[in-house]
Amino acid sequence: MHEFSLAVEVINLVQHEAERRSARSIQEISIEVGDLSGVEADSFESALELLVKDTCLDKAIITIKRIPGIGKCNGCNAEFEMNHRMDVCPICRCFPSEISGGQEFRVVEMVVE
Ligand SMILES: [Zn+2]
């Protein structure tokens, strides 16, 4: 359960940050999860939902934003969206020579009170 320990880490990080800002409660957080980051966004979200109970994140609105990777085709140079690491070019079925993005895993926004 890789996603479970990541969820624990995120909660710790956010709690720490809330204390640093002397926040009373956290209203919102947004987390970016890249499709190629190795984190299963759905499992991560359910782990988070389970773990926020009785923490300062209990009432927070949690938004998980999935970021696809962009591959550049090795054959025809087209750029295409990648949701999986093994995705190939939709035009010529070649593997990408370069991949950008999709590796994100970070808290991008936090609204406290
Ligand atoms: Zn191609």
Side-chain angles (χ1 to χ4, degrees):
M1 288 302 275
H2 173 57
E3 281 74 17
F4 234 84
S5 47
L6 283 171
V8 172
E9 258 175 60
V10 167
I11 292 170
N12 287 341
L13 184 115
V14 169
Q15 275 180 329
H16 186 80
E17 183 61 23
E19 276 165 32
R20 206 178 61 83
R21 298 195 205 171
S22 347
R24 274 181 298 137
S25 67
I26 297 162
Q27 291 178 313
E28 261 181 77
I29 58 164
S30 308
I31 304 164
E32 278 184 357
V33 180
D35 279 345
L36 312 178
S37 64
V39 180
E40 185 29 77
D42 295 335
S43 326
F44 174 69
E45 192 170 10
S46 16
L48 210 53
E49 271 171 22
L50 220 94
L51 291 165
V52 292
K53 295 211 166 60
D54 303 318
T55 72
C56 58
L57 273 156
D58 202 0
K59 303 213 160 49
I61 300 163
I62 301 171
T63 310
I64 293 179
K65 209 172 138 195
R66 301 181 65 155
I67 316 275
I70 304 292
K72 192 172 182 196
C73 178
N74 199 20
C76 70
N77 271 338
E79 290 195 341
F80 57 96
E81 228 176 63
M82 295 178 72
N83 303 111
H84 304 281
R85 212 170 272 277
M86 297 305 282
D87 281 357
V88 293
C89 173
I91 304 161
C92 69
R93 308 255 143 226
C94 285
F95 281 109
S97 56
E98 275 171 51
I99 301 171
S100 53
Q103 309 284 349
E104 297 80 357
F105 182 74
R106 59 188 174 205
V107 178
V108 282
E109 210 189 335
M110 176 169 164
V111 181
V112 297
E113 200 177 56

